[in-house]
Amino acid sequence: TLFLISFIWASAQSFEGLRFGLQLSPSFTWMQSDNSQINRNGTNVGLKLAMIGEYYFAENYAFTSGLGFAFNHGGTLRHDPEGSYWQTGQSLRSADLKYSVQFIEIPVGLKMRTREFGYLRYFGEPYITFGFRSQSRGDIKDTDINDIDIKEFVNPIALSWGLGIGVEYSVSETTALVGGLYFQNMFTDMTRDVDMGDDSNSNLDG
């Protein structure tokens, strides 16, 4: 957050090259584990809402950052080992654990775009994202264990890398509509193996 504030303050002294925008986009996320007995078994449909800033240090190159919220990120993991999951006290032969997590996100990236063709510009954007867990809820499918607080089992900090491609449509000299596809991969462990006994690493893709 301090980096973001400094970035905006330093650039705001001269608005030349500085652009702000709002992001509203659907997301599709899933989880994967490095344990062969824990497998992906479902996708979450979520939402990203953010304020984005771009500082153009050249005509077609910009540093990007912002502050956003990621809602209902996660997925479902199929656990085949018998156990009592999330310390619920119920021993299950196997279980489908659904994670629904909300993050506060700070992305930092480099946007590279083409020259304008008519009203269109195309761009690519590699970036990294710092995520901070704000809420975590969980369901165990086919049981009466639903919408429980699982923050004890989700790491509070997440680091991800990503890549986006898209197009800008210039509405006016100062306004543009932007659309694109972004892929994001978490390279830190999303889950904390508290009393789970598997010591697995589970990350998030979307």
Side-chain angles (χ1 to χ4, degrees):
T1 303
L2 289 176
F3 170 80
L4 176 64
I5 292 172
S6 299
F7 169 82
I8 293 175
W9 177 82
S11 301
Q13 296 178 65
S14 171
F15 281 91
E16 181 180 358
L18 183 64
R19 295 171 50 177
F20 290 102
L22 296 176
Q23 174 193 3
L24 179 64
S25 58
S27 63
F28 303 89
T29 58
W30 56 90
M31 296 173 64
Q32 301 188 79
S33 173
D34 63 357
N35 188 320
S36 62
Q37 293 184 301
I38 303 175
N39 298 288
R40 170 187 169 188
N41 197 33
T43 300
N44 282 15
V45 179
L47 181 72
K48 280 181 178 282
L49 178 64
M51 183 180 76
I52 303 296
E54 300 177 347
Y55 177 69
Y56 281 84
F57 58 90
E59 181 181 359
N60 293 318
Y61 297 88
F63 293 120
T64 63
S65 188
L67 180 65
F69 297 91
F71 300 97
N72 197 37
H73 277 40
T76 300
L77 291 176
R78 174 76 174 182
H79 288 248
D80 287 325
E82 183 175 354
S84 175
Y85 300 102
W86 290 337
Q87 297 180 341
T88 58
Q90 292 190 23
S91 181
L92 302 170
R93 183 181 298 274
S94 60
D96 288 313
L97 274 58
K98 180 180 179 181
Y99 292 77
S100 299
V101 185
Q102 179 176 310
F103 291 99
I104 298 171
E105 294 187 330
I106 301 176
V108 179
L110 175 65
K111 188 173 186 178
M112 300 168 285
R113 64 182 188 177
T114 65
R115 64 182 179 86
E116 194 168 28
F117 299 94
Y119 297 101
L120 298 177
R121 293 178 185 266
Y122 302 93
F123 68 86
E125 184 180 0
Y127 64 96
I128 60 172
T129 299
F130 301 90
F132 304 92
R133 181 207 66 212
S134 59
Q135 187 180 68
S136 307
R137 310 298 294 181
D139 300 332
I140 301 181
K141 293 185 177 181
D142 300 321
T143 72
D144 58 357
I145 302 171
N146 297 297
D147 199 32
I148 63 172
D149 187 352
I150 57 169
K151 65 181 180 181
E152 182 180 0
F153 304 97
V154 178
N155 280 316
I157 297 176
L159 298 176
S160 306
W161 68 271
L163 179 65
I165 55 173
V167 61
E168 293 183 6
Y169 175 77
S170 296
V171 179
S172 67
E173 289 186 6
T174 58
T175 306
L177 298 176
V178 180
L181 294 173
Y182 284 75
F183 174 78
Q184 186 170 320
N185 174 258
M186 183 182 295
F187 56 82
T188 55
D189 190 0
M190 180 170 163
T191 59
R192 299 174 62 194
D193 304 313
V194 180
D195 199 31
M196 298 287 275
D198 55 42
D199 295 324
S200 63
N201 289 324
S202 301
N203 56 14
L204 182 72
D205 296 326

